[in-house]
Coordinates of all heavy atoms in Angstrom, one line a residue:
M948 N 0.9 -1.2 0.0 CA 0.0 0.0 0.0 C 0.9 1.2 0.0 O 1.8 1.3 0.8 CB -0.9 0.0 1.2 CG -1.8 1.2 1.3 SD -2.9 1.2 2.7 CE -4.3 0.3 2.0
D949 N 0.6 2.2 -0.9 CA 1.4 3.4 -1.0 C 0.7 4.5 -0.2 O -0.3 5.0 -0.6 CB 1.5 3.7 -2.5 CG 2.2 5.1 -2.7 OD1 2.9 5.5 -1.9 OD2 2.0 5.6 -3.8
P950 N 1.4 5.0 0.9 CA 0.8 6.0 1.7 C 0.4 7.3 0.9 O -0.6 7.9 1.1 CB 1.8 6.3 2.8 CG 2.6 5.0 2.9 CD 2.6 4.5 1.5
D951 N 1.3 7.6 0.0 CA 1.1 8.8 -0.8 C -0.2 8.6 -1.7 O -0.9 9.6 -1.9 CB 2.3 9.2 -1.7 CG 3.4 9.7 -0.9 OD1 3.2 10.3 0.2 OD2 4.6 9.5 -1.3
G952 N -0.3 7.4 -2.2 CA -1.5 7.1 -3.0 C -2.8 7.2 -2.2 O -3.8 7.7 -2.7
V953 N -2.7 6.7 -1.0 CA -3.9 6.8 -0.1 C -4.2 8.2 0.2 O -5.3 8.7 0.2 CB -3.6 6.0 1.2 CG1 -4.7 6.2 2.2 CG2 -3.5 4.5 0.9
L954 N -3.1 9.0 0.5 CA -3.3 10.4 0.8 C -4.0 11.2 -0.4 O -4.9 12.0 -0.2 CB -2.0 11.1 1.1 CG -2.0 12.6 1.5 CD1 -2.9 12.8 2.7 CD2 -0.6 13.1 1.7
G955 N -3.5 10.8 -1.6 CA -4.1 11.4 -2.8 C -5.6 11.1 -3.0 O -6.4 11.9 -3.3
L956 N -5.9 9.8 -2.7 CA -7.3 9.3 -2.8 C -8.2 10.1 -1.7 O -9.3 10.5 -2.1 CB -7.4 7.8 -2.6 CG -8.8 7.2 -2.5 CD1 -9.5 7.4 -3.8 CD2 -8.7 5.8 -2.1
M957 N -7.6 10.2 -0.5 CA -8.4 10.9 0.5 C -8.6 12.3 0.2 O -9.7 12.9 0.4 CB -7.7 10.7 1.9 CG -7.4 9.3 2.3 SD -8.9 8.4 2.5 CE -9.4 8.8 4.1
A958 N -7.6 13.0 -0.4 CA -7.8 14.4 -0.8 C -8.8 14.5 -1.9 O -9.6 15.5 -1.9 CB -6.4 14.9 -1.3
A959 N -8.8 13.6 -2.9 CA -9.8 13.6 -3.9 C -11.2 13.4 -3.4 O -12.2 14.1 -3.8 CB -9.5 12.5 -5.0
L960 N -11.4 12.5 -2.4 CA -12.7 12.3 -1.8 C -13.1 13.6 -1.0 O -14.3 13.9 -1.1 CB -12.6 11.1 -0.9 CG -12.6 9.7 -1.5 CD1 -12.4 8.7 -0.5 CD2 -13.8 9.5 -2.4
D961 N -12.2 14.2 -0.4 CA -12.5 15.4 0.4 C -13.0 16.5 -0.6 O -13.9 17.2 -0.3 CB -11.3 15.9 1.1 CG -11.6 17.0 2.1 OD1 -12.6 16.9 2.8 OD2 -10.9 18.0 2.1
A962 N -12.3 16.6 -1.8 CA -12.7 17.6 -2.7 C -14.2 17.3 -3.3 O -14.9 18.2 -3.5 CB -11.7 17.6 -3.9
L963 N -14.5 16.0 -3.4 CA -15.9 15.7 -3.9 C -16.9 16.0 -2.8 O -18.1 16.1 -3.2 CB -15.9 14.2 -4.2 CG -15.3 13.8 -5.5 CD1 -15.3 12.3 -5.7 CD2 -15.9 14.5 -6.7
G964 N -16.6 16.1 -1.6 CA -17.5 16.4 -0.5 C -18.4 17.6 -0.8 O -19.6 17.7 -0.5
G965 N -17.7 18.7 -1.3 CA -18.4 19.9 -1.6 C -19.5 19.7 -2.7 O -20.6 20.3 -2.6
D966 N -19.2 18.8 -3.7 CA -20.2 18.5 -4.7 C -21.4 17.8 -4.1 O -22.5 18.1 -4.5 CB -19.6 17.6 -5.8 CG -18.5 18.4 -6.6 OD1 -18.5 19.6 -6.6 OD2 -17.7 17.7 -7.2
F967 N -21.2 16.9 -3.2 CA -22.3 16.2 -2.6 C -23.1 17.1 -1.7 O -24.3 17.0 -1.6 CB -21.8 15.0 -1.8 CG -21.5 13.8 -2.6 CD1 -20.2 13.4 -2.8 CD2 -22.5 13.0 -3.2 CE1 -19.9 12.3 -3.6 CE2 -22.2 12.0 -4.0 CZ -20.9 11.6 -4.2
Q968 N -22.4 18.0 -1.0 CA -23.2 19.0 -0.2 C -24.0 19.9 -1.1 O -25.2 20.2 -0.8 CB -22.2 19.9 0.6 CG -21.6 19.1 1.8 CD -20.6 20.0 2.5 OE1 -20.0 20.9 2.0 NE2 -20.3 19.6 3.8
S969 N -23.5 20.3 -2.2 CA -24.3 21.1 -3.2 C -25.5 20.3 -3.7 O -26.6 20.9 -3.8 CB -23.4 21.5 -4.3 OG -24.1 22.2 -5.3
A970 N -25.3 19.1 -4.1 CA -26.4 18.2 -4.5 C -27.4 18.1 -3.5 O -28.6 18.2 -3.8 CB -25.9 16.9 -5.0
H971 N -27.0 17.9 -2.2 CA -28.0 17.8 -1.1 C -28.8 19.1 -1.0 O -30.0 19.0 -0.8 CB -27.2 17.4 0.1 CG -28.1 16.9 1.3 ND1 -29.1 16.1 1.1 CD2 -28.0 17.1 2.6 CE1 -29.7 15.9 2.2 NE2 -29.0 16.5 3.2
R972 N -28.1 20.2 -1.0 CA -28.8 21.5 -0.9 C -29.8 21.7 -2.0 O -31.0 22.1 -1.8 CB -27.8 22.7 -0.9 CG -27.3 22.9 0.5 CD -26.5 24.3 0.5 NE -25.5 24.4 -0.5 CZ -24.3 24.0 -0.4 NH1 -23.9 23.5 0.8 NH2 -23.4 24.2 -1.4
E973 N -29.4 21.3 -3.3 CA -30.3 21.5 -4.4 C -31.5 20.6 -4.3 O -32.6 21.0 -4.7 CB -29.5 21.2 -5.7 CG -28.5 22.3 -6.0 CD -27.6 21.9 -7.2 OE1 -27.8 20.9 -7.9 OE2 -26.6 22.7 -7.4
I974 N -31.3 19.4 -3.8 CA -32.5 18.5 -3.7 C -33.4 19.0 -2.6 O -34.6 19.0 -2.8 CB -32.0 17.0 -3.4 CG1 -31.4 16.4 -4.6 CG2 -33.1 16.2 -2.8 CD1 -30.9 15.0 -4.5
D975 N -32.9 19.5 -1.5 CA -33.7 20.1 -0.5 C -34.5 21.3 -1.0 O -35.7 21.5 -0.7 CB -32.9 20.5 0.8 CG -32.6 19.3 1.7 OD1 -33.3 18.3 1.5 OD2 -31.7 19.4 2.5
S976 N -33.8 22.1 -1.8 CA -34.4 23.3 -2.3 C -35.6 22.9 -3.3 O -36.7 23.5 -3.3 CB -33.4 24.2 -3.0 OG -34.0 25.3 -3.6
A977 N -35.3 21.9 -4.2 CA -36.3 21.5 -5.1 C -37.5 20.8 -4.4 O -38.6 21.0 -4.8 CB -35.7 20.5 -6.1
A978 N -37.2 20.1 -3.3 CA -38.3 19.5 -2.6 C -39.1 20.5 -1.9 O -40.4 20.4 -1.8 CB -37.7 18.6 -1.5
A979 N -38.5 21.6 -1.4 CA -39.3 22.7 -0.8 C -40.1 23.5 -1.7 O -41.2 23.9 -1.5 CB -38.3 23.5 0.1
D980 N -39.5 23.8 -2.9 CA -40.1 24.7 -3.9 C -41.1 24.1 -4.8 O -42.0 24.7 -5.2 CB -39.0 25.4 -4.7 CG -38.1 26.3 -3.9 OD1 -38.5 26.7 -2.8 OD2 -37.0 26.6 -4.4
G981 N -40.9 22.8 -5.1 CA -41.7 22.1 -6.0 C -43.2 22.1 -5.8 O -43.9 22.5 -6.7
P982 N -43.6 21.6 -4.6 CA -45.1 21.5 -4.4 C -45.9 22.8 -4.6 O -47.0 22.8 -5.2 CB -45.2 21.0 -3.0 CG -43.9 20.3 -2.7 CD -42.9 21.1 -3.5
A983 N -45.3 23.9 -4.2 CA -46.1 25.2 -4.4 C -46.3 25.5 -5.8 O -47.3 26.0 -6.2 CB -45.3 26.3 -3.7
S984 N -45.3 25.3 -6.6 CA -45.4 25.6 -8.1 C -46.1 24.5 -8.9 O -46.4 24.8 -10.1 CB -44.0 25.9 -8.6 OG -43.2 24.7 -8.6
L985 N -46.3 23.4 -8.3 CA -47.0 22.3 -9.0 C -48.4 22.1 -8.7 O -49.1 21.1 -9.1 CB -46.2 21.0 -8.8 CG -44.8 21.0 -9.3 CD1 -44.1 19.7 -8.9 CD2 -44.7 21.1 -10.8
T986 N -49.0 23.1 -8.0 CA -50.4 23.0 -7.7 C -51.2 23.9 -8.8 O -50.9 25.1 -8.9 CB -50.7 23.6 -6.3 OG1 -50.0 22.8 -5.4 CG2 -52.2 23.6 -6.0
V987 N -52.1 23.3 -9.5 CA -52.8 24.0 -10.6 C -54.3 24.0 -10.3 O -54.9 22.9 -10.1 CB -52.5 23.4 -11.9 CG1 -53.3 24.1 -13.0 CG2 -51.0 23.3 -12.2
D988 N -54.9 25.1 -10.2 CA -56.3 25.3 -9.9 C -56.7 24.4 -8.7 O -57.8 23.8 -8.7 CB -57.1 24.8 -11.1 CG -56.9 25.7 -12.3 OD1 -56.6 26.9 -12.1 OD2 -57.0 25.3 -13.5
G989 N -55.9 24.4 -7.7 CA -56.2 23.7 -6.5 C -56.0 22.2 -6.5 O -56.2 21.5 -5.5
R990 N -55.7 21.7 -7.7 CA -55.4 20.2 -7.8 C -53.9 20.0 -7.4 O -53.0 20.6 -7.9 CB -55.6 19.8 -9.2 CG -57.1 19.8 -9.5 CD -57.4 19.4 -10.9 NE -56.9 20.5 -11.8 CZ -57.2 20.7 -13.0 NH1 -58.0 19.9 -13.6 NH2 -56.8 21.7 -13.7
R991 N -53.8 19.0 -6.5 CA -52.5 18.8 -5.9 C -51.9 17.4 -6.3 O -50.9 17.0 -5.7 CB -52.6 18.9 -4.4 CG -53.2 20.2 -3.9 CD -53.1 20.4 -2.4 NE -51.8 20.1 -1.8 CZ -50.7 20.9 -1.9 NH1 -50.8 22.1 -2.5 NH2 -49.6 20.5 -1.3
A992 N -52.4 16.8 -7.3 CA -51.9 15.4 -7.6 C -50.5 15.5 -8.0 O -49.6 14.7 -7.6 CB -52.8 14.8 -8.8
V993 N -50.1 16.4 -8.9 CA -48.7 16.5 -9.3 C -47.8 16.9 -8.1 O -46.7 16.4 -8.0 CB -48.5 17.5 -10.5 CG1 -47.1 17.7 -10.9 CG2 -49.3 17.0 -11.7
A994 N -48.3 17.9 -7.3 CA -47.5 18.3 -6.2 C -47.3 17.2 -5.2 O -46.2 17.0 -4.7 CB -48.2 19.5 -5.5
N995 N -48.3 16.4 -5.0 CA -48.2 15.2 -4.1 C -47.2 14.2 -4.6 O -46.4 13.6 -3.9 CB -49.5 14.6 -3.8 CG -50.4 15.5 -2.9 OD1 -49.9 16.4 -2.2 ND2 -51.7 15.3 -3.0
A996 N -47.3 14.0 -5.9 CA -46.4 13.0 -6.6 C -44.9 13.5 -6.4 O -44.0 12.8 -6.1 CB -46.8 12.8 -8.0
W997 N -44.8 14.8 -6.7 CA -43.4 15.4 -6.5 C -42.9 15.3 -5.1 O -41.8 14.9 -4.9 CB -43.5 16.9 -6.9 CG -42.2 17.6 -6.7 CD1 -41.9 18.5 -5.7 CD2 -41.0 17.5 -7.5 NE1 -40.6 18.9 -5.8 CE2 -40.0 18.3 -7.0 CE3 -40.7 16.8 -8.7 CZ2 -38.8 18.5 -7.5 CZ3 -39.5 17.0 -9.3 CH2 -38.5 17.8 -8.7
R998 N -43.8 15.6 -4.1 CA -43.4 15.4 -2.7 C -42.9 14.0 -2.4 O -41.9 13.8 -1.8 CB -44.5 15.9 -1.8 CG -44.1 15.9 -0.3 CD -45.3 16.4 0.6 NE -45.6 17.8 0.2 CZ -46.8 18.2 -0.3 NH1 -47.7 17.3 -0.7 NH2 -47.0 19.4 -0.6
T999 N -43.7 13.0 -2.8 CA -43.3 11.6 -2.6 C -42.0 11.3 -3.3 O -41.1 10.6 -2.7 CB -44.5 10.7 -3.1 OG1 -45.7 11.0 -2.4 CG2 -44.1 9.3 -2.9
F1000 N -41.9 11.7 -4.5 CA -40.6 11.5 -5.3 C -39.4 12.0 -4.5 O -38.4 11.4 -4.3 CB -40.7 12.1 -6.7 CG -39.5 12.0 -7.5 CD1 -39.1 10.8 -8.1 CD2 -38.7 13.1 -7.6 CE1 -37.9 10.8 -8.8 CE2 -37.5 13.1 -8.3 CZ -37.1 11.9 -8.9
M1001 N -39.6 13.3 -4.1 CA -38.4 14.0 -3.4 C -38.1 13.4 -2.0 O -37.0 13.3 -1.6 CB -38.7 15.5 -3.3 CG -38.7 16.2 -4.6 SD -37.2 15.8 -5.7 CE -35.9 16.5 -4.6
E1002 N -39.2 12.9 -1.3 CA -38.9 12.3 0.0 C -38.1 11.0 -0.2 O -37.2 10.7 0.6 CB -40.3 11.9 0.6 CG -41.0 13.1 1.2 CD -42.4 12.7 1.7 OE1 -42.8 11.5 1.7 OE2 -43.1 13.6 2.2
D1003 N -38.3 10.3 -1.3 CA -37.5 9.1 -1.6 C -36.1 9.4 -2.0 O -35.2 8.7 -1.7 CB -38.2 8.3 -2.7 CG -39.5 7.6 -2.3 OD1 -39.8 7.6 -1.1 OD2 -40.3 7.2 -3.2
R1004 N -35.9 10.6 -2.7 CA -34.6 10.9 -3.2 C -33.8 11.8 -2.3 O -32.6 11.9 -2.4 CB -34.7 11.7 -4.5 CG -35.0 11.0 -5.8 CD -35.4 9.6 -5.7 NE -35.9 8.9 -6.9 CZ -36.9 8.1 -6.8 NH1 -37.8 8.1 -5.8 NH2 -37.2 7.4 -7.9
R1005 N -34.4 12.4 -1.3 CA -33.7 13.4 -0.4 C -32.6 12.7 0.4 O -31.6 13.3 0.6 CB -34.8 14.0 0.5 CG -34.1 15.0 1.4 CD -35.2 15.6 2.3 NE -35.8 16.7 1.5 CZ -36.9 17.4 1.9 NH1 -37.5 17.1 3.1 NH2 -37.4 18.3 1.2
I1006 N -32.7 11.5 0.7 CA -31.7 10.8 1.5 C -30.5 10.3 0.7 O -29.5 10.0 1.3 CB -32.3 9.6 2.3 CG1 -32.8 8.5 1.4 CG2 -33.4 10.1 3.3 CD1 -33.2 7.2 2.1
V1007 N -30.6 10.3 -0.6 CA -29.6 9.7 -1.4 C -28.2 10.4 -1.2 O -27.2 9.7 -0.9 CB -30.0 9.6 -2.9 CG1 -28.8 9.2 -3.8 CG2 -31.1 8.6 -3.1
P1008 N -28.1 11.7 -1.4 CA -26.8 12.4 -1.2 C -26.2 12.1 0.1 O -25.0 11.8 0.3 CB -27.0 13.8 -1.5 CG -28.3 13.9 -2.3 CD -29.1 12.7 -1.9
G1009 N -27.0 12.2 1.2 CA -26.5 12.0 2.5 C -26.1 10.6 2.7 O -25.0 10.3 3.4
A1010 N -26.8 9.6 2.1 CA -26.4 8.2 2.3 C -25.1 8.0 1.5 O -24.2 7.2 2.0 CB -27.5 7.3 1.7
V1011 N -24.9 8.6 0.4 CA -23.7 8.4 -0.4 C -22.5 9.0 0.4 O -21.4 8.4 0.5 CB -23.8 9.1 -1.8 CG1 -22.4 9.1 -2.5 CG2 -24.8 8.3 -2.7
M1012 N -22.7 10.2 1.0 CA -21.7 10.9 1.8 C -21.3 10.0 3.0 O -20.1 9.9 3.3 CB -22.1 12.3 2.2 CG -22.1 13.3 1.1 SD -22.4 15.0 1.6 CE -24.1 14.9 2.2
Y1013 N -22.3 9.4 3.6 CA -22.1 8.6 4.8 C -21.2 7.4 4.4 O -20.3 7.0 5.0 CB -23.4 8.1 5.4 CG -23.1 7.2 6.6 CD1 -22.8 7.6 7.8 CD2 -23.3 5.8 6.4 CE1 -22.5 6.7 8.9 CE2 -23.1 4.9 7.4 CZ -22.7 5.4 8.6 OH -22.5 4.5 9.7
S1014 N -21.6 6.8 3.2 CA -20.9 5.6 2.8 C -19.4 5.9 2.4 O -18.5 5.2 2.8 CB -21.6 5.0 1.5 OG -20.9 3.9 1.0
I1015 N -19.2 7.1 1.8 CA -17.9 7.5 1.4 C -17.1 7.8 2.7 O -15.9 7.4 2.8 CB -17.9 8.7 0.5 CG1 -18.4 8.3 -0.9 CG2 -16.5 9.3 0.4 CD1 -18.6 9.4 -1.9
S1016 N -17.7 8.4 3.6 CA -17.0 8.8 4.9 C -16.6 7.5 5.6 O -15.5 7.4 6.1 CB -17.9 9.6 5.7 OG -17.3 9.9 7.0
A1017 N -17.5 6.5 5.7 CA -17.2 5.3 6.4 C -16.1 4.5 5.7 O -15.2 4.0 6.3 CB -18.4 4.4 6.5
S1018 N -16.1 4.6 4.3 CA -15.0 3.9 3.6 C -13.7 4.6 3.8 O -12.7 3.9 3.9 CB -15.4 3.9 2.1 OG -16.6 3.1 1.9
A1019 N -13.7 5.9 3.8 CA -12.5 6.7 4.0 C -11.9 6.4 5.3 O -10.7 6.3 5.5 CB -12.8 8.2 3.8
K1020 N -12.8 6.3 6.3 CA -12.3 6.0 7.7 C -11.6 4.6 7.7 O -10.6 4.4 8.3 CB -13.4 6.0 8.7 CG -12.9 5.8 10.1 CD -14.1 5.7 11.1 CE -13.6 5.4 12.5 NZ -12.6 4.5 12.7
G1021 N -12.2 3.7 7.0 CA -11.7 2.3 6.9 C -10.3 2.3 6.3 O -9.4 1.7 6.7
V1022 N -10.2 3.1 5.2 CA -8.9 3.2 4.5 C -7.8 3.8 5.4 O -6.7 3.4 5.5 CB -9.0 4.0 3.2 CG1 -7.6 4.4 2.6 CG2 -9.8 3.3 2.2
G1023 N -8.2 4.9 6.1 CA -7.3 5.5 7.1 C -6.9 4.6 8.2 O -5.7 4.5 8.5
D1024 N -7.8 3.9 8.8 CA -7.5 2.9 9.8 C -6.6 1.8 9.3 O -5.6 1.4 10.0 CB -8.8 2.3 10.4 CG -9.7 3.3 11.2 OD1 -9.2 4.4 11.5 OD2 -10.8 2.9 11.4
A1025 N -6.9 1.3 8.1 CA -6.0 0.3 7.5 C -4.6 0.8 7.3 O -3.6 0.1 7.5 CB -6.6 -0.3 6.2
T1026 N -4.5 2.0 6.8 CA -3.2 2.6 6.6 C -2.4 2.7 7.9 O -1.2 2.4 7.9 CB -3.3 4.0 5.9 OG1 -4.1 3.9 4.7 CG2 -2.0 4.6 5.6
V1027 N -3.0 3.1 8.9 CA -2.4 3.2 10.2 C -1.9 1.8 10.7 O -0.7 1.7 11.1 CB -3.3 3.8 11.3 CG1 -2.7 3.6 12.7 CG2 -3.6 5.3 11.0
V1028 N -2.7 0.8 10.5 CA -2.3 -0.6 10.9 C -1.1 -1.0 10.0 O -0.1 -1.6 10.6 CB -3.4 -1.5 10.7 CG1 -3.0 -3.0 10.8 CG2 -4.5 -1.2 11.7
I1029 N -1.1 -0.7 8.7 CA 0.0 -1.1 7.9 C 1.3 -0.4 8.2 O 2.4 -1.0 8.4 CB -0.3 -0.9 6.4 CG1 -1.4 -1.9 6.0 CG2 0.9 -1.0 5.5 CD1 -2.0 -1.6 4.6
V1030 N 1.2 0.9 8.5 CA 2.4 1.6 8.8 C 2.9 1.2 10.2 O 4.2 1.0 10.4 CB 2.1 3.2 8.9 CG1 3.3 4.0 9.5 CG2 1.8 3.7 7.5
T1031 N 2.1 0.9 11.1 CA 2.5 0.4 12.4 C 3.2 -0.9 12.3 O 4.2 -1.2 12.9 CB 1.3 0.3 13.4 OG1 0.7 1.6 13.5 CG2 1.7 -0.3 14.7
G1032 N 2.6 -1.8 11.4 CA 3.3 -3.1 11.2 C 4.6 -3.0 10.5 O 5.6 -3.7 10.9
D1033 N 4.8 -2.0 9.6 CA 6.1 -1.8 8.9 C 7.1 -1.3 10.0 O 8.2 -1.7 10.0 CB 5.9 -0.7 7.9 CG 5.2 -1.2 6.6 OD1 5.0 -2.4 6.5 OD2 4.9 -0.4 5.8
E1034 N 6.7 -0.4 10.9 CA 7.6 0.0 11.9 C 8.0 -1.1 12.8 O 9.2 -1.2 13.2 CB 6.9 1.2 12.7 CG 6.8 2.5 11.9 CD 6.0 3.5 12.6 OE1 5.4 3.2 13.7 OE2 6.0 4.7 12.1
Q1035 N 7.1 -2.0 13.2 CA 7.4 -3.1 14.0 C 8.3 -4.0 13.4 O 9.3 -4.6 14.0 CB 6.1 -3.8 14.5 CG 6.3 -5.0 15.5 CD 6.9 -4.5 16.8 OE1 6.4 -3.5 17.4 NE2 8.0 -5.1 17.2
M1036 N 8.1 -4.3 12.0 CA 9.0 -5.2 11.3 C 10.4 -4.6 11.3 O 11.4 -5.3 11.4 CB 8.5 -5.4 9.9 CG 7.3 -6.4 9.8 SD 6.9 -6.9 8.2 CE 6.5 -5.4 7.4
A1037 N 10.5 -3.3 11.1 CA 11.8 -2.7 11.1 C 12.5 -2.8 12.4 O 13.7 -3.1 12.5 CB 11.7 -1.2 10.7
Q1038 N 11.8 -2.6 13.5 CA 12.4 -2.8 14.8 C 12.8 -4.2 15.1 O 13.9 -4.5 15.6 CB 11.4 -2.4 15.9 CG 11.1 -0.9 16.0 CD 10.0 -0.6 17.0 OE1 9.5 -1.5 17.7 NE2 9.6 0.6 17.0
D1039 N 12.0 -5.2 14.6 CA 12.3 -6.6 14.8 C 13.6 -7.0 14.0 O 14.4 -7.8 14.4 CB 11.1 -7.5 14.4 CG 10.0 -7.3 15.4 OD1 10.1 -6.7 16.4 OD2 8.9 -7.8 15.0
L1040 N 13.7 -6.4 12.8 CA 14.8 -6.7 11.9 C 16.1 -6.2 12.5 O 17.1 -6.9 12.5 CB 14.6 -6.1 10.5 CG 15.7 -6.3 9.5 CD1 15.9 -7.8 9.2 CD2 15.5 -5.5 8.3
V1041 N 16.1 -5.0 13.0 CA 17.3 -4.4 13.7 C 17.6 -5.2 14.9 O 18.8 -5.6 15.1 CB 17.0 -2.9 14.0 CG1 18.1 -2.4 14.9 CG2 16.9 -2.1 12.8
A1042 N 16.6 -5.6 15.7 CA 16.9 -6.4 16.9 C 17.5 -7.7 16.5 O 18.5 -8.2 17.2 CB 15.6 -6.5 17.7
A1043 N 17.0 -8.4 15.5 CA 17.5 -9.7 15.1 C 18.8 -9.6 14.5 O 19.7 -10.5 14.7 CB 16.5 -10.4 14.1
S1044 N 19.1 -8.6 13.7 CA 20.3 -8.4 13.0 C 21.5 -8.0 13.9 O 22.6 -8.4 13.7 CB 20.2 -7.5 11.8 OG 19.2 -7.9 10.9
F1045 N 21.2 -7.0 14.8 CA 22.3 -6.4 15.5 C 22.2 -6.7 17.0 O 23.0 -6.2 17.8 CB 22.3 -4.9 15.3 CG 22.4 -4.6 13.8 CD1 21.4 -4.1 13.1 CD2 23.7 -4.7 13.2 CE1 21.5 -3.8 11.7 CE2 23.8 -4.4 11.8 CZ 22.7 -3.9 11.1
G1046 N 21.1 -7.3 17.5 CA 20.9 -7.6 18.9 C 20.6 -6.3 19.7 O 20.9 -6.3 20.8
V1047 N 20.1 -5.3 19.0 CA 19.8 -4.1 19.7 C 18.3 -3.8 19.5 O 17.8 -3.9 18.5 CB 20.6 -2.9 19.0 CG1 20.3 -1.6 19.6 CG2 22.1 -3.2 19.0
D1048 N 17.7 -3.4 20.7 CA 16.3 -2.9 20.6 C 16.3 -1.5 20.2 O 17.0 -0.6 20.7 CB 15.7 -3.1 22.0 CG 15.4 -4.5 22.3 OD1 15.2 -5.3 21.4 OD2 15.3 -4.9 23.5
V1049 N 15.5 -1.2 19.2 CA 15.4 0.2 18.6 C 13.9 0.6 18.8 O 13.0 -0.1 18.5 CB 15.8 0.2 17.1 CG1 15.6 1.6 16.6 CG2 17.2 -0.2 17.0
V1050 N 13.7 1.8 19.2 CA 12.4 2.4 19.3 C 12.3 3.5 18.2 O 13.1 4.4 18.2 CB 12.1 3.0 20.7 CG1 10.8 3.7 20.7 CG2 12.3 1.9 21.8
L1051 N 11.4 3.3 17.3 CA 11.2 4.3 16.2 C 10.2 5.3 16.5 O 9.3 5.2 17.2 CB 10.8 3.6 14.9 CG 11.8 2.6 14.3 CD1 11.2 1.9 13.1 CD2 13.1 3.2 14.0

């Protein structure tokens, strides 16, 4: 695992966070504005359909952001474990080769 590659991936995901926040705001705005403009002559069938549609879709950006965040945390945790293991292997190698305990 390349730590710099992981760092680049995490930075790219962080940059995408703003896009997801924007999408979430736009969906909330469309959900709030839609029903009022979709009522014609007191008939609300289209407005009600729009409301139901938006209720189903409103959670999507948040769910995607949550999934990405959880995955990013997993990558970060895995990276820490790998680096810790590399450091331990280096200490063990020095100790076995030179009979000296080294603390990195």
Side-chain angles (χ1 to χ4, degrees):
M948 177 177 274
D949 176 19
D951 290 332
V953 171
L954 183 60
L956 175 65
M957 302 301 275
L960 288 174
D961 190 46
L963 286 174
D966 293 339
F967 280 108
Q968 287 177 337
S969 177
H971 193 37
R972 276 193 305 272
E973 289 172 9
I974 286 176
D975 277 346
S976 177
D980 296 342
S984 61
L985 296 174
T986 300
V987 179
D988 296 331
R990 291 177 289 200
R991 303 190 46 80
V993 175
N995 290 338
W997 176 257
R998 186 177 296 109
T999 300
F1000 173 80
M1001 292 310 296
E1002 284 173 1
D1003 292 344
R1004 280 16 172 225
R1005 183 177 277 173
I1006 64 168
V1007 171
V1011 170
M1012 287 188 292
Y1013 175 80
S1014 179
I1015 289 172
S1016 176
S1018 297
K1020 182 184 179 321
V1022 169
D1024 292 348
T1026 302
V1027 168
V1028 169
I1029 289 169
V1030 170
T1031 301
D1033 287 349
E1034 291 173 350
Q1035 184 63 51
M1036 286 190 301
Q1038 290 174 4
D1039 293 348
L1040 178 65
V1041 169
S1044 299
F1045 303 106
V1047 178
D1048 286 335
V1049 176
V1050 177
L1051 298 177

